[in-house]
Amino acid sequence: MRLTHGLAETLKQFEKEPAEFREKVATFLDSLVSHYVLDDGRLVVAHAGLKESMQGRASRGVREFALYGETTGETDEFGLPVR
């Protein structure tokens, strides 16, 4: 896993939590799907939107796009990608 998109900061916060809690959260997050296809394909739901070409596909790239969205190639004042 790459520690991008603020994940390093989140993991630092998690280090302070009990191991049992961290394991439950990791299991829950790993069980989530990147997007849902509903109503016989007429409705697609994702956190950050999803290109039509990615709908119904399951891959690392699709999951990352659904979580974080498309970038412009620029970074903001904090060094994070502009979306």
Side-chain angles (χ1 to χ4, degrees):
M1 172 193 308
R2 295 178 308 175
L3 298 181
T4 59
H5 310 292
L7 290 178
E9 290 79 7
T10 299
L11 290 176
K12 285 180 187 176
Q13 293 172 341
F14 263 13
E15 289 174 359
K16 298 175 185 174
E17 299 296 333
E20 183 180 346
F21 174 76
R22 293 192 315 259
E23 290 171 18
K24 286 182 179 182
V25 170
T27 299
F28 170 72
L29 292 175
D30 285 341
S31 74
L32 298 175
V33 297
S34 62
H35 63 288
Y36 290 98
V37 179
L38 307 169
D39 198 21
D40 294 321
R42 292 188 292 262
L43 176 64
V44 177
V45 181
H47 172 69
L50 195 65
K51 293 180 180 181
E52 188 173 356
S53 63
M54 295 179 168
Q55 295 175 8
R57 294 180 44 215
S59 71
R60 183 179 184 177
V62 171
R63 183 178 175 99
E64 286 184 7
F65 188 93
L67 287 169
Y68 308 118
E70 191 165 32
T71 63
T72 66
E74 300 173 318
T75 55
D76 65 14
E77 65 272 16
F78 302 107
L80 299 172
V82 174
R83 301 186 184 286

